[in-house]
Amino acid sequence: MDEERFDVIDDLGIRYVASPVGREDREADTLLLLSPWPESLYAYAPIWDALAAEHPVIAVDLPGFGRSEGRAELMSPRVMGEFVTHLVDHFGLEQPHAVGPDVGTAALLFAAAAQPDLFRSVVVGGGAATHPLTLRGVLKTLVTEDVGQPEVVSGFVADGLPQQIREDYAASYAGDRLAGSLAYLRSYPADLAALDPLLATVRTPVQIIAGRDDPYGLARDAEVLNEKLPASRLDVLDCGHAAWEEQPGNYAGIVTDWVDGSYLGVVGAR
């Protein structure tokens, strides 16, 4: 990946990485990547070269996640969706393709429902987005119960990642950072109830990528989401939760095929 930077957006230091834009890339559609939890923008390191080979790419740590500064009032998908619109404005993007697995899923859907022309398309999955919740395992406990701070980073991320990336994940949620990020998950019950009636109004094409063996019930959530959205496609990979890290080649291939034009095939298909 390229060199990380920090910009001040809404009075918060936001970490991001942007690929160099050559002359041949200036007319290409930009990809805006939002960090998953409990990881950071370095979750995209395994697929960065494949995506950046054809498109300008910007990866961002959302407020309160990764190494970006946060505020308590931003820690819900509904409010984070509004912040994402500020990201688009800040970077001067014109209808980017937004990729937001995990915690980015519901935030992107809120943003797409509020501003139908904001994105050319969105790619989501691996994050709760439907109501009622269908979560299982430790993720259900984190969302629905008042529990202490478990060692979640090592449990949620894929095996075999470079030590430098794992250290970045651990540092991203050190101290009280983990507790602050859990507030986002605990807003799911109320926020996803509010999102549910909006799903049928989302006209932005949506690509959903799910892991067949996701231990947190999110494969079923992806199926329900696909049924509720009017313009969507679901791809299920033979992996667990972190499809972007567990099957980077397949994940990057789906995203690249999608943004190169297959997203047009779902428009008006239902």
Side-chain angles (χ1 to χ4, degrees):
M1 293 180 71
D2 298 279
E3 183 179 357
E4 64 179 53
R5 306 174 186 176
F6 284 82
D7 275 6
V8 176
I9 305 175
D10 289 359
D11 297 322
L12 295 171
I14 302 298
R15 183 173 71 166
Y16 71 98
V17 173
S19 65
V21 179
R23 182 175 302 172
E24 67 280 5
D25 298 326
R26 295 188 187 279
E27 299 303 320
D29 295 333
T30 299
L31 277 65
L32 175 64
L33 314 180
L34 308 180
S35 60
W37 176 92
E39 300 164 309
S40 72
L41 54 80
Y42 285 102
Y44 296 110
I47 64 175
W48 183 264
D49 289 344
L51 298 183
E54 297 186 20
H55 296 272
V57 183
I58 300 174
V60 180
D61 279 340
L62 291 169
F65 297 100
R67 297 293 187 94
S68 289
E69 295 178 339
R71 282 196 298 265
E73 61 267 27
L74 288 172
M75 300 309 289
S76 83
R78 180 165 22 187
V79 183
M80 193 68 77
E82 182 178 350
F83 181 86
V84 172
T85 69
H86 299 173
L87 283 178
V88 174
D89 290 341
H90 176 82
F91 290 114
L93 305 180
E94 184 176 350
Q95 283 197 310
H97 294 274
V99 180
D102 197 75
V103 292
T105 294
L108 284 181
L109 293 172
F110 268 115
Q115 296 194 33
D117 296 325
L118 184 65
F119 306 118
R120 198 169 302 275
S121 78
V122 299
V123 180
V124 298
T130 64
H131 178 78
L133 289 172
T134 57
L135 302 179
R136 295 198 303 263
V138 65
L139 186 58
K140 180 178 180 180
T141 302
L142 293 174
V143 171
T144 61
E145 298 181 20
D146 186 13
V147 296
Q149 295 185 36
E151 294 296 326
V152 298
V153 174
S154 60
F156 276 77
V157 304
D159 294 329
L161 293 175
Q163 184 63 25
Q164 181 180 2
I165 293 179
R166 301 186 75 87
E167 289 175 356
D168 185 78
Y169 293 171
S172 294
Y173 300 97
D176 61 359
R177 295 274 296 178
L178 180 61
S181 68
L182 288 176
Y184 189 94
L185 276 66
R186 291 170 184 163
S187 70
Y188 278 169
D191 275 22
L192 298 188
L195 177 63
D196 189 66
L198 301 178
L199 293 176
T201 72
V202 176
R203 296 294 180 250
T204 304
V206 179
Q207 167 71 64
I208 309 165
I209 306 175
R212 191 183 311 278
D213 300 319
D214 191 315
Y216 311 117
L218 294 168
R220 177 54 184 159
D221 189 87
E223 294 174 356
V224 175
L225 179 61
N226 190 45
E227 293 168 359
K228 292 188 174 187
L229 290 167
S232 63
R233 184 179 78 178
L234 170 63
D235 282 272
V236 181
L237 299 178
D238 290 323
C239 63
H241 174 66
W244 50 93
E245 291 173 332
E246 295 175 46
Q247 290 209 7
N250 288 333
Y251 194 94
I254 292 170
V255 173
T256 300
D257 174 71
W258 175 257
V259 302
D260 282 346
S262 66
Y263 73 94
L264 295 171
V266 306
V267 179
R270 300 184 186 181

